[in-house]
C-alpha cells in the first residue's frame, strides 16, 4: 500500500500541521485527513488531565495578577451569521465568545478622551482560552501601555475577558471554533452550515465586535492594535489590510501568509523540519529518515503490528502501520515547531531546545540497537517528557480544544500546497490540486477555491504591493520554525517590519518572558514594544493635529 502523504497538514495552523489518518479512507486516498496546526498534540493533553484552574493561575501570574483565579472574564457577543448577504438566514444571530482583562486599562477620563489602547488577539482555529493563556507577551506589556486586553474566539460564540492593565487585549474566538458555534452541535453537520466558516466572515466578526466594544466602553477614540500567532497571525495581518480604520497596527507572529499558490516552494516546510534535526546531528537525521520503511515493513503483518504496539507502548494494539507513522511524524514535526530555548508546555511539556534533546537520545544508543527503539525513545520525549503516561493512545482521537473546523477550511480556502523532497528526512511525496479537489468533494461535497486567499488578500510581489498601500505591520519569525519559510522575512517598508531570529521557534515572541530567555528573544520583544509605542504616539499626534 502506498504510504499516506502528510502534504496537506496545515498549521494552525497554530496554530494549525499534524495529520490524522482515517482508517475508513486510508487505502482509498493518497491524502490523510487535514488537521489544524495544534490539534494532534493536544489530543494527548487530555490523557494527562491537566487542571484548567492551574492554567488560569499561570496566566494570571503572567499578567501580574496573582490573586485572580482567572486572568480574564468570558463574554458572549451577538453576531450576525452572514455579514455579506441579505438572505433570510443572514441576520440569524449566534453568540461569539471573547475574553477581556481590564486590570491595567487606563479608562477614558470623559468624552472618550485619554483611554488606553485596546490590544486585541485575533483568535485561532481553536478554543480561545488555550491561546489566551499561551500569549503572555500581551499580559507582560499591558501595564506599560495601560491597555485593555481582548481575545476573540474564531467561532460561533465569542468570549470577552477583561484584564486589569493598561492594555486592552481581545481574545476573540473564531466562528465555528471552541464555543462559538453558530448552529450548536449541528455546526459541522454539512456544507450548508459550514459554508459560513470563512476567514472573511471571521475578520468581519472581529471588526463588528471591536467597534461595539469601544462604543460600550466610551472609548471610541482609543487606538486598537491586533495581535495574532500562526493562523491568528495571518488573520491579524489581513485584518490590518482590510480594516485599517479599525486597527492602527498588527503584530503577526509566525504568520505564513505566503504559503499559498506558487509563492513559496512547496517542499519548504518539511525541508526546514529536516534541517532542524540535521543541524543537531547527521546521525539523528539519518536514523529518522530510515524509520519509515521499517515501520511499513513491520506493520505489513499482524505479528509486526503487535511487535510495534509493544515497542511504542500503545494502550491498545495498533491496527494500521500508518498510525505509528503518524505518531512519529507528529512528534518530530511539532518538536521542530516548538524548539523553544526554555522549557515550555504549549503543545506538550518539553525541555529547552527539545530537538537537540531528541537527537541526544537517538545518538546515545549503541549502533546495533533496533531503530524502532531509538525513534520511540526520541518521540516519547515529546509525548511523555514528564513521565505521566503509562501507555500511548496512538489510535485514540479527541478534540479537547475545539479545532475540528480546520478540516473544512483546509478543503475550501486554506489550500497550502506541501510536498516532501528527496532531501527531507520524511518519505518523498507530491501534491496535486486536482486530487486535493476530488478528495474535498468526496469528504464535504464542495470543491476548494485554491487561489482565493491570494485573490482576497494578496501575496504575490508582496514587497512591491504593500510598500505603497500597507503600513504598521510587524511580521516576526524564528527560523527554527518550519512555518517561517512561508512568512515575510524582509522589511517591506519603514512601517512594515520583519523581525527574524535565527534560533526562534513558532511564535516564541508571544510567550511570557521567563528567566533564562536568551538575549535575542529579549531584543526581539523590545523592538516590538518600541514599534507599537511609535504607532500609538503617531496616532495621538495625528489626532491632536486634527
Amino acid at each position: 500500500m502506498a504510504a499516506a502523504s502528510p502534504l496537506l497538514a496545515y498549521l494552525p495552523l497554530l496554530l494549525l500541521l499534524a495529520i490524522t489518518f482515517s482508517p475508513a479512507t486510508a487505502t482509498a486516498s493518497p491524502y490523510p485527513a487535514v488537521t489544524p496546526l495544534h490539534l494532534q498534540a493536544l489530543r494527548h493533553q487530555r490523557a494527562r488531565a491537566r487542571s484548567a484552574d492551574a492554567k488560569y493561575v499561570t496566566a494570571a501570574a503572567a499578567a501580574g495578577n496573582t490573586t485572580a483565579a482567572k486572568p480574564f472574564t468570558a463574554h458572549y457577543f451577538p453576531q450576525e451569521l452572514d455579514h455579506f448577504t441579505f438572505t433570510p438566514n443572514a441576520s440569524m444571530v449566534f453568540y461569539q465568545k471573547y475574553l477581556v482583562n481590564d486590570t491595567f486599562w487606563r479608562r477614558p477620563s470623559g468624552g472618550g478622551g485619554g483611554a488606553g489602547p485596546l490590544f486585541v488577539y485575533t483568535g485561532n482555529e481553536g478554543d480561545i482560552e488555550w491561546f489566551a493563556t499561551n500569549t503572555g507577551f500581551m499580559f507582560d506589556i499591558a501595564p506599560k501601555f495601560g491597555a485593555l486586553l481582548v481575545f476573540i474566539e474564531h467561532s460561533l460564540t465569542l468570549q470577552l475577558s477583561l484584564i486589569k492593565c493598561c492594555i486592552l487585549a481581545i481574545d476573540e474566538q473564531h466562528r465555528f471554533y471552541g464555543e462559538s458555534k453558530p448552529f450548536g452541535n449541528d455546526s459541522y453537520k454539512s456544507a450548508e452550515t459550514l459554508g459560513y466558516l470563512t476567514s472573511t466572515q471571521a475578520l468581519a466578526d472581529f471588526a463588528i465586535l471591536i467597534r461595539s466594544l469601544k462604543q460600550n466602553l466610551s472609548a471610541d477614540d482609543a487606538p486598537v492594535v491586533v495581535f495574532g500567532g500562526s493562523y491568528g497571525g495571518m488573520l491579524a495581518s489581513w485584518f490590518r489590510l482590510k480594516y485599517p480604520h479599525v486597527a492602527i497596527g498588527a503584530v503577526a507572529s509566525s504568520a505564513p501568509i505566503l504559503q499559498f499558490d506558487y509563492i513559496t516552494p512547496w517542499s519548504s516546510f518539511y525541508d526546514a523540519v529536516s534541517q532542524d534535526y540535521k543541524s543537531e546531528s547527521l546521525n539523528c537525521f539519518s536514523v529518522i529518515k530510515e524509520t519509515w520503511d521499517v515501520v511499513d515493513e513491520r506493520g505489513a503483518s499482524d505479528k509486526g503490528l503487535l511487535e510495534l504496539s509493544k515497542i511504542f507502548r500503545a494502550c491498545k494494539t495498533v491496527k494500521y502501520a500508518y498510525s505509528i507513522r503518524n505518531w512519529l511524524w507528529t512528534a518530530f514535526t511539532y518538536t521542530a515547531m516548538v524548539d523553544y530555548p526554555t522549557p515550555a508546555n504549549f503543545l506538550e511539556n518539553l525541555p529547552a531546545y527539545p530537538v537537540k534533546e531528541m537527537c541526544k537520545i537517538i545518538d546515545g544508543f549503541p549502533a546495533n540497537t533496533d531503530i524502532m527503539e531509538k525513534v520511540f525513545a526520541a518521540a516519547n520525549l515529546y509525548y511523555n517528557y514528564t513521565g505521566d503516561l503509562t501507555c500511548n493512545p496512538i489510535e485514540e482521537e479527541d478534540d479537547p480544544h475545539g479545532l475540528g473546523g480546520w478540516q473544512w477550511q483546509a478543503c475550501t480556502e486554506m489550500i497550502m500546497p506541501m510536498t516532501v523532497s528527496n532531501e527531507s528526512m520524511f518519505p518523498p511525496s507530491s501534491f496535486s490540486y486536482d486530487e486535493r479537489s476530488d478528495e474535498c468533494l468526496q469528504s464535504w461535497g464542495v470543491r476548494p477555491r485554491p487561489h482565493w486567499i491570494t485573490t482576497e488578500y494578496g501575496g504575490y510581489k508582496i514587497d512591491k504591493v504593500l510598500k505603497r498601500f500597507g503600513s504598521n505591520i510587524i511580521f516576526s519569525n524564528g527560523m527554527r520554525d518550519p512555518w517561517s519559510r512561508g512568512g515575510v522575512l524582509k522589511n517591506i517598508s519603514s512601517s512594515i517590519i520583519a523581525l527574524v531570529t535565527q534560533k526562534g521557534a513558532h511564535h516564541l515572541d508571544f510567550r511570557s518572558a521567563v528567566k533564562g530567555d536568551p538575549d535575542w528573544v529579549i531584543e526581539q520583544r523590545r523592538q516590538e514594544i518600541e514599534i507599537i509605542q511609535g504607532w500609538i504616539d503617531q496616532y495621538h499626534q495625528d489626532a491632536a493635529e486634527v
Side-chain angles (χ1 to χ4, degrees):
M1 181 183 71
S5 166
L7 308 183
L8 303 177
Y10 313 135
L11 160 77
L13 286 127
L14 187 199
L15 125 15
L16 274 144
L17 176 79
I19 300 181
T20 298
F21 297 85
S22 170
T25 61
T27 59
S29 169
Y31 299 111
V34 181
T35 64
L37 173 65
H38 308 105
L39 176 56
Q40 186 73 16
L42 292 171
R43 288 178 174 147
H44 302 275
Q45 290 189 2
R46 178 169 289 179
R48 289 169 172 74
R50 292 175 179 150
S51 168
D53 290 340
K55 176 176 65 174
Y56 290 129
V57 170
T58 299
N65 183 0
T66 57
T67 59
K70 295 183 180 181
F72 40 68
T73 57
H75 302 262
Y76 297 82
F77 180 82
Q79 281 286 9
E80 287 191 329
L81 178 63
D82 186 353
H83 301 298
F84 301 107
T85 71
F86 291 88
T87 59
N89 285 339
S91 58
M92 169 184 164
V93 172
F94 71 90
Y95 288 88
Q96 186 172 25
K97 181 179 180 179
Y98 67 102
L99 311 173
V100 177
N101 182 311
D102 66 352
T103 303
F104 301 104
W105 187 39
R106 186 173 62 252
R107 297 179 179 279
S109 57
L118 279 67
F119 286 179
V120 179
Y121 189 91
T122 51
N124 293 64
E125 67 285 19
D127 183 345
I128 193 59
E129 294 187 3
W130 173 49
F131 288 97
T133 54
N134 279 281
T135 311
F137 174 67
M138 293 174 65
F139 292 85
D140 290 345
I141 67 175
K144 172 180 174 58
F145 289 93
L148 173 66
L149 301 178
V150 182
F151 295 82
I152 308 177
E153 192 165 66
H154 186 329
S155 66
L156 298 180
T157 60
L158 178 65
Q159 289 184 339
L160 176 60
S161 299
L162 296 174
I163 300 171
K164 291 183 180 179
C165 94
C166 305
I167 297 178
L168 168 60
I170 298 178
D171 179 355
E172 180 173 352
Q173 186 162 321
H174 194 307
R175 54 172 57 200
F176 287 85
Y177 291 105
E179 297 181 38
S180 301
K181 297 181 175 62
F183 300 94
N185 292 333
D186 292 332
S187 296
Y188 298 158
K189 188 175 183 179
S190 70
E192 294 296 323
T193 54
L194 280 168
Y196 298 102
L197 171 51
T198 67
S199 60
T200 50
Q201 295 279 10
L203 294 180
D205 288 342
F206 298 160
I208 290 170
L209 189 153
I210 291 169
R211 293 189 64 189
S212 176
L213 183 62
K214 290 178 68 176
Q215 291 175 356
N216 290 339
L217 295 173
S218 300
D220 288 307
D221 294 331
V224 174
V225 177
V226 292
F227 296 73
S230 195
Y231 173 51
M234 300 165 76
L235 293 173
S237 64
W238 292 339
F239 189 84
R240 169 59 184 164
L241 297 177
K242 291 293 183 179
Y243 296 93
H245 53 292
V246 178
I248 66 167
V251 185
S253 181
S254 299
I257 63 170
L258 305 181
Q259 197 79 46
F260 297 92
D261 286 5
Y262 299 92
I263 302 172
T264 299
W266 291 359
S267 68
S268 63
F269 183 94
Y270 287 110
D271 286 346
V273 174
S274 301
Q275 181 57 40
D276 283 354
Y277 287 86
K278 184 181 288 187
S279 69
E280 297 297 343
S281 163
L282 183 58
N283 175 67
C284 178
F285 167 86
S286 299
V287 167
I288 297 172
K289 187 177 180 69
E290 295 168 9
T291 294
W292 316 109
D293 289 341
V294 178
V295 171
D296 289 344
E297 180 182 350
R298 296 193 190 178
S301 67
D302 290 342
K303 180 180 179 181
L305 286 173
L306 179 59
E307 178 187 349
L308 289 174
S309 299
K310 292 178 179 178
I311 292 174
F312 286 83
R313 301 176 190 173
C315 297
K316 299 179 181 179
T317 301
V318 295
K319 299 177 181 179
Y320 307 96
Y322 59 74
S323 299
I324 297 292
R325 289 167 58 97
N326 186 39
W327 191 82
L328 291 169
W329 196 302
T330 297
F332 295 136
T333 300
Y334 278 139
T335 300
M337 284 172 44
V338 295
D339 193 31
Y340 298 138
T342 56
N345 64 349
F346 176 41
L347 298 180
E348 298 285 354
N349 282 301
L350 291 171
Y353 294 116
V355 170
K356 181 189 294 290
E357 297 304 316
M358 271 191 173
C359 286
K360 284 182 179 179
I361 292 173
I362 289 176
D363 292 345
F365 281 96
N368 60 349
T369 305
D370 183 351
I371 190 173
M372 292 292 95
E373 294 284 357
K374 294 179 182 179
V375 295
F376 164 72
N380 200 49
L381 174 84
Y382 174 77
Y383 291 110
N384 198 22
Y385 177 63
T386 60
D388 295 337
L389 291 181
T390 57
C391 65
N392 292 301
I394 292 175
E395 288 184 332
E396 297 177 19
E397 297 183 6
D398 58 21
D399 186 6
H401 291 274
L403 309 177
W406 186 256
Q407 293 190 22
W408 165 265
Q409 287 193 267
C411 259
T412 51
E413 59 179 359
M414 301 300 292
I415 306 298
M416 295 183 241
M418 289 188 180
T419 61
V420 181
S421 69
N422 291 327
E423 289 70 35
S424 171
M425 68 183 194
F426 299 101
S429 55
S430 59
F431 175 86
S432 165
Y433 277 116
D434 290 339
E435 290 180 11
R436 181 62 180 150
S437 179
D438 290 343
E439 183 198 43
C440 292
L441 181 64
Q442 181 180 2
S443 298
W444 297 100
V446 299
R447 289 194 181 276
R449 296 176 186 169
H451 310 296
W452 171 244
I453 290 295
T454 53
T455 301
E456 175 70 5
Y457 305 114
Y460 283 103
K461 299 181 179 178
I462 191 170
D463 53 338
K464 295 180 176 62
V465 175
L466 293 190
K467 182 178 181 180
R468 294 303 178 194
F469 87 86
S471 65
N472 291 10
I473 303 175
I474 298 171
F475 290 103
S476 62
N477 282 282
M479 297 306 289
R480 299 289 286 184
D481 176 17
W483 288 110
S484 64
R485 276 46 172 192
V488 177
L489 302 178
K490 294 182 179 180
N491 290 352
I492 292 176
S493 69
S494 60
S495 67
I496 300 183
I497 306 299
L499 298 179
V500 180
T501 57
Q502 290 304 310
K503 294 184 179 181
H506 201 53
H507 47 68
L508 167 63
D509 53 323
F510 275 14
R511 298 188 61 75
S512 296
V514 297
K515 183 179 180 181
D517 276 337
D519 291 343
W520 48 267
V521 176
I522 297 171
E523 174 60 17
Q524 183 182 27
R525 293 177 180 140
R526 186 199 65 77
Q527 291 182 63
E528 290 173 355
I529 293 169
E530 182 179 288
I531 293 170
I532 294 168
Q533 186 67 67
W535 294 343
I536 294 174
D537 290 346
Q538 187 63 59
Y539 172 83
H540 288 304
Q541 181 179 331
D542 292 344
E545 292 176 356
V546 172

